[in-house]
């Protein structure tokens, strides 16, 4: 009899949630992580009393009441509402595209006026296409929203995000755009959203309470020894690495951060400000205190912490963030998924193991599904 039922490779949201639910079913779990901390990319670093999202901003949102009740049973979530703004050459616009945006763009004040303006813009794009389907992101975006908003709020940001011209990006990336004919700056349509009170570390610690954890533990350096400890593996790392890059390496976009302490209580007045002009090198600035401090409490902390976010091409040794959704990588990923589907003692889960971009709530939903399928 092996010492553990499950060896869980990675202490991020998938691994931590699996460990929690499996332990509730009486299963013995060992969680390992090659980093020096738990939580994966959810990890927060406390700087000047502020929980800094070390690997980029994470905002929990869902319409699934079961998921919302689950995370709140671990730690209570606050009322943070994601309402980012865009800065283009010093002028600020609300996101997502709504009546505030249309007023800032064109001076229109009613939904009827905004619809007329949008149709004028779309008509221009239709003339340019002359009956053919959009061939790239630029053509698709202008057909959906028109030239003005595309040029000011989409083009530069998207090109920085993906490191290539919008004319080189496939149309399907932007087949849908959120357009609201209301003065509503709430970015998400989900029923529930917020941030754990006290930061995401509290959520992960709660999920991993009473579970054995080994940090600074690289699965691939001790693969044989670690595998021998458990009946099954829950793997949340890169799927191509698991198979020793048998078909080649998958590609990613990555993000780097320049995090700075500012000697003022409030730097930009919002958690997220996107910089949409191409000439500004960073894609956005995150001011972390706004995730957990509201109203007058912002000024109670005399300093603030901001992170300038830069999107770059991923290279070996960098942290992989976003799967590259193109034909080459999709074909390659499917080959690896076919291998994974044949495994009887390995469960692959999460962004890297499935080569799929996930928000947090769907990760938890996937764990729920996996646990139920295992009939633990």
């Amino acid at each position: 009899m092996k010492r553990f039922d499950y060896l869980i490779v990675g202490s991020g949201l998938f691994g931590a949630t699996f460990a929690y639910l499996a332990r509730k079913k009486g299963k013995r779990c060992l969680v390992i992580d090659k980093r020096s901390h738990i939580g994966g990319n959810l990890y927060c670093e406390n700087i000047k009393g502020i929980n800094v999202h070390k690997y980029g901003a994470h905002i929990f949102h869902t319409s699934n009441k079961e998921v919302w009740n689950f995370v709140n049973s671990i730690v209570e979530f606050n009322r943070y509402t994601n309402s980012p703004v865009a800065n283009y050459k010093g002028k600020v616009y609300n996101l997502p595209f709504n009546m505030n945006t249309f007023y800032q763009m064109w001076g229109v004040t009613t939904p009827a006026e905004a619809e007329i303006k949008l149709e004028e813009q779309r008509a221009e794009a239709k003339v340019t296409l002359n009956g053919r389907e959009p061939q790239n992101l630029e053509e698709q975006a202008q057909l959906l929203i028109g030239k003005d908003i595309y040029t000011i709020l989409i083009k530069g940001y998207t090109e920085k995000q993906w490191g290539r011209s919008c004319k080189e990006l496939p149309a399907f990336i932007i087949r849908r755009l959120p357009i609201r004919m209301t003065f509503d700056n709430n970015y998400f349509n989900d029923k529930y959203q917020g941030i754990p009170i006290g930061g995401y570390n509290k959520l992960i610690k709660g999920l991993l309470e009473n579970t054995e954890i080994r940090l600074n533990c690289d699965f691939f350096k001790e693969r044989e020894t670690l595998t021998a400890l458990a009946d099954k593996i829950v793997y949340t790392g890169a799927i191509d690495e698991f198979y020793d890059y048998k078909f080649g390496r998958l590609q990613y976009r990555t993000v780097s951060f320049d995090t700075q302490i500012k000697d003022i209580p409030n730097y930009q007045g919002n958690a997220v400000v996107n910089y949409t002009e191409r000439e500004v090198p960073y894609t956005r600035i995150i001011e972390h205190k706004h995730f957990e401090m509201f109203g007058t409490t912002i000024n109670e902390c005399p300093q603030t912490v901001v992170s300038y976010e830069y999107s770059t091409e991923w290279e070996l040794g960098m942290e992989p963030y976003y799967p590259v959704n193109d034909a080459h990588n999709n074909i390659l990923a499917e080959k690896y998924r076919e291998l994974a589907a044949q495994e009887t003692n390995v469960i692959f889960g999460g962004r890297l193991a499935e080569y799929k971009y996930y928000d947090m709530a769907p990760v938890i939903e996937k764990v729920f599904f996996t646990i139920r399928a295992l009939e633990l």
Side-chain angles (χ1 to χ4, degrees), residues 321-374:
Y321 276 83
Y322 306 109
V324 177
N325 197 357
D326 62 13
H328 168 76
N329 285 285
N330 289 338
I331 291 170
L332 197 59
E334 191 54 37
K335 289 182 178 180
Y336 284 118
R337 293 188 196 110
E338 288 172 0
L339 283 181
Q342 298 170 28
E343 300 282 354
T344 56
N345 291 318
V346 184
I347 297 164
F348 293 80
R351 175 176 52 94
L352 299 179
E354 298 179 58
Y355 197 70
K356 177 181 178 182
Y357 179 77
Y358 273 112
D359 284 327
M360 288 177 283
V363 168
I364 293 175
E365 290 173 356
K366 183 66 180 288
V367 179
F368 285 174
F369 174 83
T370 302
I371 290 286
R372 287 164 183 161
L374 291 170

Side-chain angles (χ1 to χ4, degrees), residues 115-179:
E115 285 283 10
I116 290 170
K117 194 67 181 176
L118 285 167
E119 282 306 311
E120 288 175 358
Q121 298 260 309
R122 291 167 179 150
E124 184 179 337
K126 290 177 182 178
V127 169
T128 302
L129 288 172
N130 195 26
R132 63 176 174 81
E133 289 295 311
Q135 299 300 303
N136 53 55
L137 187 148
E138 178 169 292
E139 292 179 346
Q140 181 68 70
Q142 293 193 46
L143 188 63
L144 291 171
I145 201 72
K147 182 181 288 186
D148 290 350
I149 289 178
Y150 166 73
T151 301
I152 292 173
L153 299 179
I154 297 175
K155 181 177 173 17
Y157 187 89
T158 303
E159 291 183 346
K160 288 188 289 187
Q161 189 78 6
W162 291 100
R164 50 188 60 89
S165 166
C166 286
K167 293 179 180 179
E168 299 172 20
L169 293 169
F172 68 79
I173 291 179
I174 203 166
R175 283 274 157 80
R176 295 180 181 178
L177 277 175
I179 300 171

Side-chain angles (χ1 to χ4, degrees), residues 87-106:
N87 184 309
Y88 180 79
K89 297 184 177 181
K91 186 172 181 180
V92 172
Y93 299 86
N94 287 104
L95 299 173
F97 308 136
N98 65 66
M99 284 302 301
N100 287 305
T101 321
F102 306 142
Y103 171 74
Q104 292 151 354
M105 187 70 63
W106 300 309

Side-chain angles (χ1 to χ4, degrees), residues 252-271:
Y252 299 86
R253 290 290 291 175
T254 191
V255 182
S256 62
F257 305 94
D258 176 15
T259 297
Q260 302 177 11
I261 300 169
K262 303 286 187 181
D263 288 322
I264 54 175
N266 191 355
Y267 180 72
Q268 64 185 17
N270 205 47

Side-chain angles (χ1 to χ4, degrees), residues 67-84:
V67 169
W68 183 247
N69 288 342
F70 172 74
V71 294
N72 275 271
S73 72
I74 307 298
V75 57
E76 185 180 358
F77 277 57
N78 67 23
R79 58 88 167 167
Y80 175 78
T81 301
N82 190 30
S83 302

Side-chain angles (χ1 to χ4, degrees), residues 37-322:
H37 60 74
I38 59 174
N41 285 5
L42 282 184
Y43 177 71
C44 292
E45 181 180 8
N46 192 280
I47 302 175
K48 301 294 183 180
I50 299 164
N51 289 313
V52 174
H53 297 208
K54 185 174 177 63
Y55 300 96
H58 287 82
I59 301 151
F60 199 95
H61 58 98
T62 184
S63 291
N64 187 324
K65 190 173 183 179
E66 181 187 17
V67 169
W68 183 247
N69 288 342
F70 172 74
V71 294
N72 275 271
S73 72
I74 307 298
V75 57
E76 185 180 358
F77 277 57
N78 67 23
R79 58 88 167 167
Y80 175 78
T81 301
N82 190 30
S83 302
V85 296
N87 184 309
Y88 180 79
K89 297 184 177 181
K91 186 172 181 180
V92 172
Y93 299 86
N94 287 104
L95 299 173
F97 308 136
N98 65 66
M99 284 302 301
N100 287 305
T101 321
F102 306 142
Y103 171 74
Q104 292 151 354
M105 187 70 63
W106 300 309
V108 297
T109 58
T110 67
E113 290 174 336
E115 285 283 10
I116 290 170
K117 194 67 181 176
L118 285 167
E119 282 306 311
E120 288 175 358
Q121 298 260 309
R122 291 167 179 150
E124 184 179 337
K126 290 177 182 178
V127 169
T128 302
L129 288 172
N130 195 26
R132 63 176 174 81
E133 289 295 311
Q135 299 300 303
N136 53 55
L137 187 148
E138 178 169 292
E139 292 179 346
Q140 181 68 70
Q142 293 193 46
L143 188 63
L144 291 171
I145 201 72
K147 182 181 288 186
D148 290 350
I149 289 178
Y150 166 73
T151 301
I152 292 173
L153 299 179
I154 297 175
K155 181 177 173 17
Y157 187 89
T158 303
E159 291 183 346
K160 288 188 289 187
Q161 189 78 6
W162 291 100
R164 50 188 60 89
S165 166
C166 286
K167 293 179 180 179
E168 299 172 20
L169 293 169
F172 68 79
I173 291 179
I174 203 166
R175 283 274 157 80
R176 295 180 181 178
L177 277 175
I179 300 171
R180 297 180 185 158
M181 292 300 166
T182 59
F183 290 90
D184 179 8
N185 298 323
N186 181 357
Y187 193 81
F188 299 123
N189 290 316
D190 289 305
K191 187 173 182 180
Y192 312 106
Q193 65 180 295
I195 305 288
I197 295 174
Y200 280 101
N201 292 358
K202 286 197 170 184
L203 174 64
I204 298 298
K205 286 178 181 177
L207 291 171
L208 291 177
E209 188 177 12
N210 299 321
T211 297
E212 185 170 336
I213 303 165
R214 297 183 189 177
L215 299 177
N216 301 303
C217 183
D218 190 327
F219 173 72
F220 295 103
K221 290 181 179 178
E222 305 176 56
R223 187 167 185 164
E224 187 175 339
T225 302
L226 290 167
T227 300
L229 294 175
D231 292 324
K232 293 187 177 183
I233 297 171
V234 177
Y235 180 76
T236 70
I239 190 170
D240 55 348
E241 187 177 12
F242 187 88
Y243 290 108
D244 197 26
Y245 310 105
K246 179 176 182 178
F247 303 121
R249 293 184 185 274
L250 291 163
Q251 296 173 312
Y252 299 86
R253 290 290 291 175
T254 191
V255 182
S256 62
F257 305 94
D258 176 15
T259 297
Q260 302 177 11
I261 300 169
K262 303 286 187 181
D263 288 322
I264 54 175
N266 191 355
Y267 180 72
Q268 64 185 17
N270 205 47
V272 183
V273 178
N274 293 353
Y275 283 78
T276 58
E277 60 186 287
R278 187 68 181 88
E279 293 71 24
V280 175
Y282 41 86
T283 54
R284 59 183 183 173
I285 300 177
I286 306 298
E287 187 170 7
H288 300 270
K289 73 185 329 182
H290 292 293
F291 290 127
E292 298 184 63
M293 300 179 189
F294 310 104
T296 56
T297 62
I298 292 168
N299 294 323
E300 292 174 5
C301 183
Q303 293 174 302
T304 192
V305 181
V306 301
S307 294
Y308 296 78
E309 193 169 308
Y310 299 82
S311 181
T312 60
E313 289 290 341
W314 176 81
E315 295 179 3
L316 195 61
M318 293 181 173
E319 184 65 34
Y321 276 83
Y322 306 109

